[in-house]
Every structure is written in C-alpha cells, then in structure tokens.
C-alpha cells in the first residue's frame, strides 16, 4: 500500500487530495507529521535573510492557534483517520490502516 508523508504545514497545500482518495477509494495511507507549524515557511524566511526564530515569524508560521484537527479534516473529505501520540499508538494505528480497504489518514503528533 502506498504511503504519503507530510508535515501539517505542507499538507495544507494538498488537503484536497483526500477527497480524490475517498472518491476513488484508493488504498493509500497518509501520514501527517503534526508539529503545528509551517516548517517550510520558516526555512524560506531564513534563506531570504529573515528571522526564522523571531517572535513575529514564529507566530506567523504557527499552526497552533487554532490547532488543526486532522482526523476531523480527513472525515470532512470522507477519509477515516486516527491520531497517534506515542510510538505504540502509531504502531496500532498503522496496523489497522494497512488492513482496511480505501484511504486512511494517521496524524502523528510530534
């Protein structure tokens, strides 16, 4: 079964792919590394001379307030989802997702 890995910031750019996965009933497990920030934007700020660690840039690139609810977002697109906050929870979630037909999403809380 194919797996797609993204952090929550970059997944914001491609969330509509969940709907296509649901419509086509693809056997894809999407793993979201939920770190509550737009990491790529912080990296780009640093590349262009901006501060990636300053208070303003941290606030502008944060996804923590309000927090994203990936299982709820996935459900809204028709994709079953689970949240894993520990390694054991991730192992169990992955085991369940790999035996289910159709798309699945697992939010891995970092």
């Amino acid at each position: 079964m194919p797996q797609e890995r993204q952090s929550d910031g970059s997944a914001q750019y491609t969330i509509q792919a969940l709907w296509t996965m649901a419509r086509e009933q693809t056997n894809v497990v999407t793993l979201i590394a939920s770190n509550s920030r737009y990491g790529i934007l912080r990296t780009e700020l640093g590349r262009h001379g901006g501060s990636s660690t300053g208070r303003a840039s941290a606030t502008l690139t944060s996804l923590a307030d309000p927090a994203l609810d990936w299982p709820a977002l996935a459900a809204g697109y028709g994709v079953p989802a689970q949240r894993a906050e520990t390694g054991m929870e991730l192992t169990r979630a992955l085991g369940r997702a790999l035996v289910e037909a159709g798309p699945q999403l697992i939010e891995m809380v970092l």
Side-chain angles (χ1 to χ4, degrees):
M1 175 177 286
Q3 295 180 19
E4 177 184 340
R5 293 179 195 94
Q6 293 187 308
S7 292
D8 46 357
S10 63
Q12 290 288 79
Y13 297 112
T14 59
I15 186 96
Q16 70 277 10
L18 292 175
W19 181 82
T20 302
M21 290 177 206
R23 182 186 62 189
E24 300 298 326
Q25 281 300 292
T26 60
N27 291 323
V28 174
V29 176
T30 300
L31 303 172
I32 301 285
S34 185
N35 60 8
S36 297
R37 68 177 188 243
Y38 272 115
I40 187 65
L41 295 181
R42 288 184 181 182
T43 299
E44 290 303 317
L45 278 171
R47 286 184 185 161
H48 296 286
S51 170
S52 62
T53 58
R55 185 177 185 161
S57 63
T59 300
L60 290 171
T61 59
S62 173
L63 295 173
D65 188 22
L68 297 174
D69 184 341
W70 285 103
L73 289 165
Y77 284 97
V79 174
Q82 304 171 67
R83 175 177 284 126
E85 296 185 16
T86 67
M88 186 60 74
E89 288 177 356
L90 177 58
T91 299
R92 286 193 297 263
L94 209 51
R96 287 189 299 268
L98 291 172
V99 298
E100 293 293 323
Q104 301 282 321
L105 181 138
I106 301 171
E107 176 187 14
M108 303 178 300
V109 179
L110 303 179

